[in-house]
């Protein structure tokens, strides 16, 4: 019986932002991320940024349209550091 190695990686994860343009400005202009995709959809946009080469996980920027979502902007990880 051989050893089976399974490689898993995270391709994308979502971060809530106040609005798409503000999210893009912060991640691209302030942090130096690459804007990978910005595709309009019916009532939203599919926006993906990456910190580096395509092999790294991408971040889907999701606008926070509801008051409940807006209340957690900047606190989505409960005050913990979540990304290293």
């Amino acid at each position: 019986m051989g050893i089976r190695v399974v490689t898993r990686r995270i391709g994308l994860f979502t971060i809530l932002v106040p609005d798409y343009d503000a999210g893009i400005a912060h991640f691209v202009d302030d942090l130096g991320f690459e804007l990978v995709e910005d595709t309009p959809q019916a009532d939203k946009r599919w926006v993906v940024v990456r910190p580096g080469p395509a092999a790294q996980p991408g971040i889907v920027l999701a606008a926070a349209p509801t008051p409940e979502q807006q209340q957690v902007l900047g606190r989505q990880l409960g005050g913990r550091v979540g990304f290293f």
Side-chain angles (χ1 to χ4, degrees), residues 20-38 47-51 59 61:
Y20 296 107
D21 293 325
I24 291 170
H26 176 66
F27 280 92
V28 174
D29 299 337
D30 297 342
L31 300 177
F33 283 41
E34 173 188 1
L35 178 61
V36 176
E37 186 173 355
D38 185 356
V47 177
V48 178
V49 296
R50 288 189 194 280
I59 303 171
L61 303 182

Side-chain angles (χ1 to χ4, degrees), residues 43-71:
D43 60 344
K44 54 187 170 182
R45 289 159 54 185
W46 179 256
V47 177
V48 178
V49 296
R50 288 189 194 280
Q56 294 186 7
I59 303 171
V60 176
L61 303 182
T66 66
E68 294 81 18
Q69 291 176 354
Q70 292 167 6
Q71 288 177 351

Side-chain angles (χ1 to χ4, degrees), residues 1 13-14 19 22 29 38 40-41 51 54 57 63 67-68 75 77 80:
M1 210 171 175
F13 60 90
T14 302
D19 64 66
D29 299 337
D38 185 356
Q41 296 183 336
E68 294 81 18
R75 297 181 292 113
L77 298 171
R80 302 288 306 247

